[in-house]
Amino acid sequence: MTTTEPTAPPTAADLEAEASALDAADPLRHHRDAFVGAETSLVYFDGNSLGRPPRASVERLAAFARDEWGGRLIRGWDESWMQLPFTIGDTIGRAVIGAAPGQTVVGDSTTVLLYKLVRAAFDARNAADPARVEIVVDRDNFPTDRYLVDGIARERGGVVRWIDVDLDAGVTEDSLRAAVGPATAVVLLSHVAYRSGYLADAAAFTAIAHDAGALVVWDLCHSAGSVPVLADEWGFDLAVGCTYKYLNGGPGSPAFAYVATRHQDALAQPIQGWMGTADVFAMGPEYRPAEGMRRFLSGTPPIVGMIAMQDTLALIEDAGIDAIRAKSVALTGFAVHAADELLAPLGVTVASPRDAGARGGHVTLSHPAMRAVTARLWSEDVIPDYRDPDGLRIGLSPLSTSFAETLAGMRAVRAAVADLA
Ligand SMILES: *Cc1c(COP(=O)(O)O)cnc(C)c1O
């Protein structure tokens, strides 16, 4: 033995070899080329916030404006647009959330749909049992969820019951069990926590709420299109999810709502508009809610906004949500590994679950310099996002992100932290 050197730490070359091996073995790698910008060196770490556009969507939007809006004009409503919220809803049900037809509709924004469903659920449980006055929500749920629950409680004489959570994780079974009981009307939970990426056990949590006699509304914004959801099998009551995140519907594309068949005709949503009535063009003297999912609509559906998501839904059906989840697990696992190798020596910590089974599609890295790091990276065409406190979110949209892209981004994070810390 002539060398006394300790085992060398993994080098940049090791990570590079690992990224190329992972890309070579990735059965979904060809899908990346279906997205605008795949040919550039830009690193996109924010597909969990605003997905990249599929190239096919650029064509689809242009064709829609030219041929359908331009050519069919008002006839378009009779010919297809009136049904589009339901046909796309059923596709989301089939490809993304495990829902049989007739339970999913594309409608308003996530915020508005959550408001409609949480209020409908609160009113239904409270009317059946006036002792049920509480809405359970966690303190780290997405701001819009917390704000609208607070507003509904005030409007309806209810009470918000807050669950405290660890910011690097999320709601636990024990904390949920302790929060629900005979006073609970409805529980609102996120399937994947927007900050930490923590993945809730939606089947187990639903059962806990049901055992307490409550209804559950699931916010699927950060799971739809990246983590399998089995709404029917897991006994969901109600759910809402974003379409501009992993479904690549484009900025402000409308959200979807799921209402289990058994609840549909018993729920009254609060925005009674003409598009939710039984016979829309009867224009009758008073509101009579339609049967089925139509009653959850209010006004004219945002057709232009729901055009693009159809391309990603087709991609998801083609790839299969289980294969997408497998790639997502591999991507976030690689990002955690790269963070340990490249960033831990600079004091950066992983603020997401290390257990892949408890993690959704993004990884949050924590360091006091992350706000400045994010601003610097954006100017270099490396695009993560920043969430207080000190969190850099690495969103890895499985269909449009490669392992090489992930490594390039992690190296850029390292350089920025080294400069700015
Ligand atoms: C993105 C997101 C929303 C967004 O609601 P909008 O009404 O579309 O602005 C809501 N909830 C969660 C958990 C989200 O991640």
Side-chain angles (χ1 to χ4, degrees):
M1 296 293 283
T2 55
T3 173
T4 54
E5 281 184 4
T7 312
T11 62
D14 295 328
L15 282 170
E16 185 115 14
E18 191 180 334
S20 356
L22 285 164
D23 273 325
D26 170 16
L28 303 184
R29 65 180 178 282
H30 58 286
H31 287 301
R32 188 170 184 277
D33 290 333
F35 291 88
V36 173
E39 71 286 3
T40 72
S41 61
L42 181 143
V43 171
Y44 197 47
F45 279 166
D46 223 351
N48 59 326
S49 223
L50 175 66
R52 285 185 190 256
R55 296 183 202 279
S57 297
V58 177
E59 282 314 306
R60 187 191 284 270
L61 286 163
F64 178 82
R66 188 182 58 234
D67 304 333
E68 291 207 48
W69 177 13
R72 303 315 301 159
L73 292 163
I74 194 81
R75 294 172 292 187
W77 285 108
D78 286 345
E79 290 165 358
S80 62
W81 305 334
M82 282 299 271
Q83 280 313 308
L84 203 59
F86 304 96
T87 51
I88 298 180
D90 282 344
T91 305
I92 291 172
R94 187 175 65 239
V96 179
I97 62 164
Q103 302 179 105
T104 312
V105 69
V106 177
D108 313 289
S109 69
T110 299
T111 301
V112 172
L113 285 177
L114 279 173
Y115 171 77
K116 288 158 76 164
L117 295 194
V118 172
R119 216 186 95 147
F122 179 88
D123 287 353
R125 291 309 290 133
N126 182 251
D129 177 358
R132 294 194 180 272
V133 293
E134 291 185 356
I135 309 176
V136 172
V137 65
D138 65 283
R139 288 196 192 279
D140 196 37
N141 210 330
F142 193 81
T144 219
D145 301 57
R146 291 182 278 113
Y147 303 160
L148 68 89
V149 158
D150 189 43
I152 291 170
R154 234 169 313 123
E155 238 168 40
R156 309 306 278 168
V159 176
V160 182
R161 175 79 179 253
W162 296 100
I163 300 179
D164 289 317
V165 296
D166 172 356
L167 292 194
D168 295 354
V171 177
T172 61
E173 289 191 26
D174 286 345
S175 63
L176 178 61
R177 214 174 269 115
V180 295
T184 314
V186 51
V187 178
L188 173 59
L189 294 168
S190 282
H191 190 201
V192 171
Y194 80 99
R195 191 200 317 268
S196 68
Y198 171 85
L199 172 63
D201 182 339
F205 285 22
T206 298
I208 291 170
H210 285 175
D211 285 348
L215 295 177
V216 190
V217 181
W218 280 102
D219 183 330
L220 305 176
C221 285
H222 273 282
S223 53
S226 134
V227 176
V229 177
L230 296 173
D232 290 344
E233 192 177 317
W234 295 344
F236 279 16
D237 302 302
L238 306 151
V240 175
C242 274
T243 65
Y244 52 79
K245 292 174 179 168
Y246 293 106
L247 302 186
N248 308 317
S253 64
F256 64 86
Y258 164 91
V259 180
T261 305
R262 65 183 180 282
H263 292 308
Q264 288 173 10
D265 293 341
L267 292 179
Q269 61 92 355
I271 307 179
Q272 302 186 165
W274 71 309
M275 282 285 163
T277 55
D279 187 353
V280 172
F281 289 100
M283 305 199 158
E286 64 199 19
Y287 174 76
R288 279 196 303 108
E291 290 185 356
M293 289 308 287
R294 175 166 290 286
R295 70 170 52 199
F296 299 97
L297 296 186
S298 297
T300 302
I303 299 301
V304 177
M306 63 184 83
I307 293 301
M309 67 180 79
Q310 295 173 90
D311 294 302
T312 292
L313 289 169
L315 276 180
I316 291 173
E317 283 213 278
D318 179 42
I321 193 72
D322 292 327
I324 290 170
R325 170 65 176 162
K327 177 162 180 193
S328 170
V329 165
L331 280 167
T332 56
F334 179 63
V336 168
H337 175 53
D340 288 342
E341 299 295 344
L342 301 174
L343 299 169
L346 302 177
V348 174
T349 57
V350 174
S352 294
R354 282 183 171 271
D355 167 14
R359 190 171 67 218
H362 65 275
V363 171
T364 300
L365 304 173
S366 185
H367 187 283
M370 284 314 189
R371 185 189 291 276
V373 165
T374 305
R376 151 89 169 259
L377 291 172
W378 279 32
S379 74
E380 296 171 348
D381 272 356
V382 173
I383 311 179
D385 65 17
Y386 174 78
R387 289 292 178 270
D388 265 334
D390 302 337
L392 182 90
R393 285 196 316 179
I394 307 289
L396 299 161
S397 194
L399 290 171
S400 58
T401 310
S402 68
F403 293 88
E405 181 183 2
T406 304
L407 179 57
M410 296 302 285
R411 285 182 170 152
V413 174
R414 181 190 157 88
V417 173
D419 276 3
L420 295 167

PDB file of all heavy atoms in Angstrom, residues 109-112 114 141-142 144-145 190 192 194 219 221-222 242 244-245, ligand 1:
ATOM      1  N   SER A 109     -61.657  28.474 -10.734  1.00  0.00           N
ATOM      2  CA  SER A 109     -60.318  28.322 -10.167  1.00  0.00           C
ATOM      3  C   SER A 109     -60.375  27.343  -8.993  1.00  0.00           C
ATOM      4  O   SER A 109     -61.444  27.059  -8.447  1.00  0.00           O
ATOM      5  CB  SER A 109     -59.788  29.672  -9.679  1.00  0.00           C
ATOM      6  OG  SER A 109     -60.534  30.084  -8.551  1.00  0.00           O
ATOM      7  N   THR A 110     -59.215  26.864  -8.590  1.00  0.00           N
ATOM      8  CA  THR A 110     -59.133  25.993  -7.407  1.00  0.00           C
ATOM      9  C   THR A 110     -59.778  26.658  -6.208  1.00  0.00           C
ATOM     10  O   THR A 110     -60.557  26.039  -5.470  1.00  0.00           O
ATOM     11  CB  THR A 110     -57.650  25.691  -7.092  1.00  0.00           C
ATOM     12  OG1 THR A 110     -57.081  25.027  -8.210  1.00  0.00           O
ATOM     13  CG2 THR A 110     -57.499  24.839  -5.856  1.00  0.00           C
ATOM     14  N   THR A 111     -59.455  27.913  -5.998  1.00  0.00           N
ATOM     15  CA  THR A 111     -59.977  28.632  -4.832  1.00  0.00           C
ATOM     16  C   THR A 111     -61.504  28.635  -4.839  1.00  0.00           C
ATOM     17  O   THR A 111     -62.144  28.339  -3.821  1.00  0.00           O
ATOM     18  CB  THR A 111     -59.444  30.079  -4.836  1.00  0.00           C
ATOM     19  OG1 THR A 111     -58.021  30.037  -4.797  1.00  0.00           O
ATOM     20  CG2 THR A 111     -59.966  30.870  -3.658  1.00  0.00           C
ATOM     21  N   VAL A 112     -62.100  28.967  -5.978  1.00  0.00           N
ATOM     22  CA  VAL A 112     -63.563  29.062  -6.045  1.00  0.00           C
ATOM     23  C   VAL A 112     -64.193  27.673  -5.894  1.00  0.00           C
ATOM     24  O   VAL A 112     -65.184  27.505  -5.182  1.00  0.00           O
ATOM     25  CB  VAL A 112     -63.998  29.761  -7.346  1.00  0.00           C
ATOM     26  CG1 VAL A 112     -65.512  29.700  -7.515  1.00  0.00           C
ATOM     27  CG2 VAL A 112     -63.527  31.217  -7.348  1.00  0.00           C
ATOM     28  N   LEU A 114     -62.900  25.071  -4.343  1.00  0.00           N
ATOM     29  CA  LEU A 114     -62.749  24.649  -2.941  1.00  0.00           C
ATOM     30  C   LEU A 114     -63.798  25.337  -2.079  1.00  0.00           C
ATOM     31  O   LEU A 114     -64.410  24.720  -1.213  1.00  0.00           O
ATOM     32  CB  LEU A 114     -61.346  25.000  -2.420  1.00  0.00           C
ATOM     33  CG  LEU A 114     -60.206  24.053  -2.784  1.00  0.00           C
ATOM     34  CD1 LEU A 114     -58.870  24.648  -2.343  1.00  0.00           C
ATOM     35  CD2 LEU A 114     -60.387  22.674  -2.145  1.00  0.00           C
ATOM     36  N   ASN A 141     -51.382  24.327   5.535  1.00  0.00           N
ATOM     37  CA  ASN A 141     -52.053  24.138   4.252  1.00  0.00           C
ATOM     38  C   ASN A 141     -51.832  25.383   3.401  1.00  0.00           C
ATOM     39  O   ASN A 141     -51.472  26.448   3.904  1.00  0.00           O
ATOM     40  CB  ASN A 141     -53.548  23.856   4.455  1.00  0.00           C
ATOM     41  CG  ASN A 141     -54.117  22.973   3.343  1.00  0.00           C
ATOM     42  OD1 ASN A 141     -53.637  23.014   2.201  1.00  0.00           O
ATOM     43  ND2 ASN A 141     -55.126  22.185   3.657  1.00  0.00           N
ATOM     44  N   PHE A 142     -52.046  25.253   2.107  1.00  0.00           N
ATOM     45  CA  PHE A 142     -51.847  26.357   1.170  1.00  0.00           C
ATOM     46  C   PHE A 142     -52.678  27.568   1.632  1.00  0.00           C
ATOM     47  O   PHE A 142     -53.797  27.396   2.105  1.00  0.00           O
ATOM     48  CB  PHE A 142     -52.292  25.888  -0.220  1.00  0.00           C
ATOM     49  CG  PHE A 142     -51.866  26.793  -1.325  1.00  0.00           C
ATOM     50  CD1 PHE A 142     -50.588  26.733  -1.855  1.00  0.00           C
ATOM     51  CD2 PHE A 142     -52.757  27.719  -1.851  1.00  0.00           C
ATOM     52  CE1 PHE A 142     -50.205  27.568  -2.896  1.00  0.00           C
ATOM     53  CE2 PHE A 142     -52.376  28.563  -2.885  1.00  0.00           C
ATOM     54  CZ  PHE A 142     -51.094  28.490  -3.409  1.00  0.00           C
ATOM     55  N   THR A 144     -54.614  29.804   0.318  1.00  0.00           N
ATOM     56  CA  THR A 144     -55.996  29.966  -0.124  1.00  0.00           C
ATOM     57  C   THR A 144     -56.918  29.016   0.640  1.00  0.00           C
ATOM     58  O   THR A 144     -58.033  29.378   1.018  1.00  0.00           O
ATOM     59  CB  THR A 144     -56.100  29.775  -1.659  1.00  0.00           C
ATOM     60  OG1 THR A 144     -57.037  30.712  -2.184  1.00  0.00           O
ATOM     61  CG2 THR A 144     -56.498  28.376  -2.097  1.00  0.00           C
ATOM     62  N   ASP A 145     -56.452  27.828   0.942  1.00  0.00           N
ATOM     63  CA  ASP A 145     -57.253  26.850   1.682  1.00  0.00           C
ATOM     64  C   ASP A 145     -57.565  27.371   3.084  1.00  0.00           C
ATOM     65  O   ASP A 145     -58.699  27.283   3.571  1.00  0.00           O
ATOM     66  CB  ASP A 145     -56.513  25.498   1.789  1.00  0.00           C
ATOM     67  CG  ASP A 145     -56.193  24.895   0.424  1.00  0.00           C
ATOM     68  OD1 ASP A 145     -55.505  25.578  -0.379  1.00  0.00           O
ATOM     69  OD2 ASP A 145     -56.613  23.764   0.152  1.00  0.00           O
ATOM     70  N   SER A 190     -54.457  18.838   2.114  1.00  0.00           N
ATOM     71  CA  SER A 190     -53.715  18.722   0.858  1.00  0.00           C
ATOM     72  C   SER A 190     -53.093  17.336   0.769  1.00  0.00           C
ATOM     73  O   SER A 190     -52.524  16.852   1.753  1.00  0.00           O
ATOM     74  CB  SER A 190     -52.600  19.771   0.780  1.00  0.00           C
ATOM     75  OG  SER A 190     -53.128  21.029   0.452  1.00  0.00           O
ATOM     76  N   VAL A 192     -50.518  16.474  -1.254  1.00  0.00           N
ATOM     77  CA  VAL A 192     -49.085  16.745  -1.176  1.00  0.00           C
ATOM     78  C   VAL A 192     -48.921  18.176  -0.655  1.00  0.00           C
ATOM     79  O   VAL A 192     -49.512  19.101  -1.206  1.00  0.00           O
ATOM     80  CB  VAL A 192     -48.405  16.606  -2.555  1.00  0.00           C
ATOM     81  CG1 VAL A 192     -46.958  17.103  -2.495  1.00  0.00           C
ATOM     82  CG2 VAL A 192     -48.439  15.149  -3.027  1.00  0.00           C
ATOM     83  N   TYR A 194     -47.648  21.766  -0.173  1.00  0.00           N
ATOM     84  CA  TYR A 194     -47.019  22.616  -1.198  1.00  0.00           C
ATOM     85  C   TYR A 194     -45.610  23.021  -0.813  1.00  0.00           C
ATOM     86  O   TYR A 194     -44.776  23.282  -1.678  1.00  0.00           O
ATOM     87  CB  TYR A 194     -47.881  23.861  -1.466  1.00  0.00           C
ATOM     88  CG  TYR A 194     -47.722  24.966  -0.439  1.00  0.00           C
ATOM     89  CD1 TYR A 194     -46.897  26.055  -0.691  1.00  0.00           C
ATOM     90  CD2 TYR A 194     -48.376  24.907   0.787  1.00  0.00           C
ATOM     91  CE1 TYR A 194     -46.736  27.059   0.243  1.00  0.00           C
ATOM     92  CE2 TYR A 194     -48.211  25.901   1.730  1.00  0.00           C
ATOM     93  CZ  TYR A 194     -47.391  26.977   1.454  1.00  0.00           C
ATOM     94  OH  TYR A 194     -47.224  27.973   2.379  1.00  0.00           O
ATOM     95  N   ASP A 219     -57.436  18.515  -1.390  1.00  0.00           N
ATOM     96  CA  ASP A 219     -56.818  19.433  -2.342  1.00  0.00           C
ATOM     97  C   ASP A 219     -55.715  18.641  -3.045  1.00  0.00           C
ATOM     98  O   ASP A 219     -54.726  18.246  -2.412  1.00  0.00           O
ATOM     99  CB  ASP A 219     -56.252  20.644  -1.593  1.00  0.00           C
ATOM    100  CG  ASP A 219     -55.651  21.684  -2.529  1.00  0.00           C
ATOM    101  OD1 ASP A 219     -55.156  21.291  -3.602  1.00  0.00           O
ATOM    102  OD2 ASP A 219     -55.661  22.876  -2.174  1.00  0.00           O
ATOM    103  N   CYS A 221     -53.921  19.661  -5.729  1.00  0.00           N
ATOM    104  CA  CYS A 221     -53.137  20.525  -6.630  1.00  0.00           C
ATOM    105  C   CYS A 221     -51.731  20.006  -6.887  1.00  0.00           C
ATOM    106  O   CYS A 221     -51.252  20.041  -8.014  1.00  0.00           O
ATOM    107  CB  CYS A 221     -53.049  21.938  -6.060  1.00  0.00           C
ATOM    108  SG  CYS A 221     -54.585  22.839  -6.269  1.00  0.00           S
ATOM    109  N   HIS A 222     -51.058  19.555  -5.824  1.00  0.00           N
ATOM    110  CA  HIS A 222     -49.663  19.143  -5.998  1.00  0.00           C
ATOM    111  C   HIS A 222     -49.507  17.644  -6.224  1.00  0.00           C
ATOM    112  O   HIS A 222     -48.395  17.142  -6.259  1.00  0.00           O
ATOM    113  CB  HIS A 222     -48.812  19.603  -4.812  1.00  0.00           C
ATOM    114  CG  HIS A 222     -48.279  20.991  -5.003  1.00  0.00           C
ATOM    115  ND1 HIS A 222     -47.201  21.267  -5.815  1.00  0.00           N
ATOM    116  CD2 HIS A 222     -48.719  22.174  -4.549  1.00  0.00           C
ATOM    117  CE1 HIS A 222     -46.983  22.561  -5.822  1.00  0.00           C
ATOM    118  NE2 HIS A 222     -47.889  23.147  -5.060  1.00  0.00           N
ATOM    119  N   CYS A 242     -55.606  21.438  -9.268  1.00  0.00           N
ATOM    120  CA  CYS A 242     -55.129  22.405 -10.271  1.00  0.00           C
ATOM    121  C   CYS A 242     -54.861  21.712 -11.597  1.00  0.00           C
ATOM    122  O   CYS A 242     -54.461  20.544 -11.622  1.00  0.00           O
ATOM    123  CB  CYS A 242     -53.788  22.972  -9.837  1.00  0.00           C
ATOM    124  SG  CYS A 242     -53.888  24.375  -8.761  1.00  0.00           S
ATOM    125  N   TYR A 244     -52.985  23.714 -14.003  1.00  0.00           N
ATOM    126  CA  TYR A 244     -51.840  24.431 -14.606  1.00  0.00           C
ATOM    127  C   TYR A 244     -50.507  23.962 -14.031  1.00  0.00           C
ATOM    128  O   TYR A 244     -49.468  24.441 -14.428  1.00  0.00           O
ATOM    129  CB  TYR A 244     -51.990  25.955 -14.467  1.00  0.00           C
ATOM    130  CG  TYR A 244     -52.273  26.457 -13.072  1.00  0.00           C
ATOM    131  CD1 TYR A 244     -51.244  26.584 -12.137  1.00  0.00           C
ATOM    132  CD2 TYR A 244     -53.563  26.808 -12.687  1.00  0.00           C
ATOM    133  CE1 TYR A 244     -51.500  27.037 -10.856  1.00  0.00           C
ATOM    134  CE2 TYR A 244     -53.833  27.267 -11.409  1.00  0.00           C
ATOM    135  CZ  TYR A 244     -52.796  27.378 -10.495  1.00  0.00           C
ATOM    136  OH  TYR A 244     -53.056  27.822  -9.230  1.00  0.00           O
ATOM    137  N   LYS A 245     -50.551  23.037 -13.072  1.00  0.00           N
ATOM    138  CA  LYS A 245     -49.313  22.503 -12.491  1.00  0.00           C
ATOM    139  C   LYS A 245     -48.900  21.279 -13.324  1.00  0.00           C
ATOM    140  O   LYS A 245     -48.471  21.437 -14.454  1.00  0.00           O
ATOM    141  CB  LYS A 245     -49.531  22.229 -11.012  1.00  0.00           C
ATOM    142  CG  LYS A 245     -49.722  23.557 -10.263  1.00  0.00           C
ATOM    143  CD  LYS A 245     -50.084  23.438  -8.811  1.00  0.00           C
ATOM    144  CE  LYS A 245     -50.202  24.845  -8.219  1.00  0.00           C
ATOM    145  NZ  LYS A 245     -50.819  24.859  -6.887  1.00  0.00           N
TER     146      LYS A 245
HETATM  147  C1  LIG B   1     -51.495  25.995  -6.468  1.00  0.00           C
HETATM  148  C2  LIG B   1     -52.417  25.679  -5.340  1.00  0.00           C
HETATM  149  C3  LIG B   1     -53.641  26.334  -5.208  1.00  0.00           C
HETATM  150  C4  LIG B   1     -53.990  27.436  -6.161  1.00  0.00           C
HETATM  151  O1  LIG B   1     -55.289  27.917  -6.125  1.00  0.00           O
HETATM  152  P1  LIG B   1     -55.740  28.894  -7.306  1.00  0.00           P
HETATM  153  O2  LIG B   1     -57.139  29.218  -7.021  1.00  0.00           O
HETATM  154  O3  LIG B   1     -55.521  28.189  -8.605  1.00  0.00           O
HETATM  155  O4  LIG B   1     -54.858  30.103  -7.255  1.00  0.00           O
HETATM  156  C5  LIG B   1     -54.479  25.921  -4.180  1.00  0.00           C
HETATM  157  N1  LIG B   1     -54.106  24.934  -3.320  1.00  0.00           N
HETATM  158  C6  LIG B   1     -52.905  24.318  -3.423  1.00  0.00           C
HETATM  159  C7  LIG B   1     -52.525  23.234  -2.466  1.00  0.00           C
HETATM  160  C8  LIG B   1     -52.028  24.682  -4.423  1.00  0.00           C
HETATM  161  O5  LIG B   1     -50.847  24.077  -4.526  1.00  0.00           O
END
